Amino acid sequence: MIIVLIGATGAGKSALTSFLLNNTRMERMEKVTTRPRRENETDGGDYSAFLKEENWNKTTILFEETFDVKVEGEPVTWRYGYMPIAFDDVSSKIYLTDCHPLTAIKIQEYYGEDNVAIVNVSANYKVRLKRYMQRDSDMSDEDKKIEFARRNGADLQYYTKGFLESINAVEIKNGVDGLDQWNYVCERALNGLYGLIGMKALHGGDARFED
């Protein structure tokens, strides 16, 4: 089983992914990228490897997506993708990842609807902008604001009620800050996933959907 978290920029997908990986039996679906490491990032964290552009095509990578950004005023293309998972492992284990909605659809089509569940992590605009501005990167604050506005505009079509219903996405609200509220969000996330695949699947037992 693969659980795929989607959400607009700054919704908190990565933080929720880390919580779930640390508190359930889920395994990380291995992602690779050509974007530079952020502060304190290492191979094996959110990304299993940070590849140089010239090495990208030398590796078997699925579901590639690209983002055109500006770093210190210069246009740069960052690539993202996944290392393949054996279909037998998809049937016997639970994997977790966060990604763009179109990539989530590709994952679902490749591994099958019965093996992939899509979960939308939602938060309001102000909360998402605040989180994005707090990210460590080589971008100036002005470039961050421009990039966030661009991403937010590009995101809009994928987070309408109609689109989310068309891909059968389940929603988890993450529009809060603070430890107490964050614990509440994590508890809601776990409860939502219990409803999807059952408590035994997350903490021990069969990884398939329960009736």
Side-chain angles (χ1 to χ4, degrees):
M1 172 62 61
I2 300 173
I3 304 296
V4 183
L5 302 185
I6 63 172
T9 299
K13 301 183 295 296
S14 296
L16 193 54
T17 296
S18 295
F19 168 81
L20 292 170
L21 288 170
N22 289 329
N23 290 276
T24 70
R25 65 191 289 261
M26 292 181 176
E27 298 182 22
R28 188 188 300 277
M29 194 174 173
E30 292 188 50
K31 288 196 289 188
V32 293
T33 182
T34 60
R35 82 154 167 77
R37 285 182 176 85
R38 294 173 185 156
E39 187 175 348
N40 298 324
E41 280 187 324
T42 59
D43 289 349
D46 289 344
Y47 294 90
S48 60
F50 293 83
L51 302 177
K52 293 183 178 180
E53 179 68 30
E54 58 266 29
N55 293 330
W56 184 262
N57 292 326
K58 298 178 182 178
T59 307
T60 300
I61 298 171
L62 300 178
F63 320 124
E64 179 180 346
E65 55 184 324
T66 60
F67 288 95
D68 295 323
V69 301
K70 284 190 175 182
V71 178
E72 297 181 350
E74 296 296 323
V76 177
T77 297
W78 291 342
R79 301 182 189 277
Y80 298 81
Y82 286 87
M83 304 301 291
I85 300 173
F87 279 86
D88 286 347
D89 287 340
V90 173
S91 298
S92 61
K93 300 178 181 179
I94 304 178
Y95 291 91
L96 177 68
T97 190
D98 58 88
C99 63
H100 189 278
L102 293 182
T103 303
I105 293 172
K106 291 178 183 178
I107 293 172
Q108 192 175 62
E109 290 175 345
Y110 186 85
Y111 289 106
E113 291 186 8
D114 290 341
N115 292 319
V116 179
I118 299 174
V119 179
N120 176 46
V121 182
S122 65
N124 67 45
Y125 182 92
K126 290 184 178 179
V127 170
R128 293 191 292 107
L129 175 59
K130 178 182 177 182
R131 290 173 181 163
Y132 191 80
M133 293 302 295
Q134 291 173 341
R135 288 183 181 178
D136 294 321
S137 75
D138 294 330
M139 300 170 68
S140 67
D141 284 350
E142 185 62 28
D143 280 346
K144 280 185 179 180
K145 290 179 181 178
I146 293 172
E147 177 59 17
F148 178 82
R150 185 195 68 79
R151 290 191 182 194
N152 187 69
D155 284 341
L156 291 178
Q157 62 182 310
Y158 302 113
Y159 296 100
T160 64
K161 181 179 179 181
F163 180 84
L164 294 172
E165 287 179 349
S166 73
I167 60 175
N168 297 315
V170 177
E171 183 180 30
I172 293 175
K173 293 184 178 180
N174 186 19
V176 297
D177 290 311
L179 180 60
D180 292 339
Q181 293 175 315
W182 173 241
N183 288 340
Y184 173 69
V185 169
C186 293
E187 181 180 350
R188 285 187 52 154
L190 281 175
N191 287 337
L193 292 175
Y194 292 158
L196 272 178
I197 60 177
M199 186 177 295
K200 287 184 179 179
L202 285 179
H203 299 291
D206 188 3
R208 290 186 174 277
F209 281 107
E210 294 184 351
D211 296 328

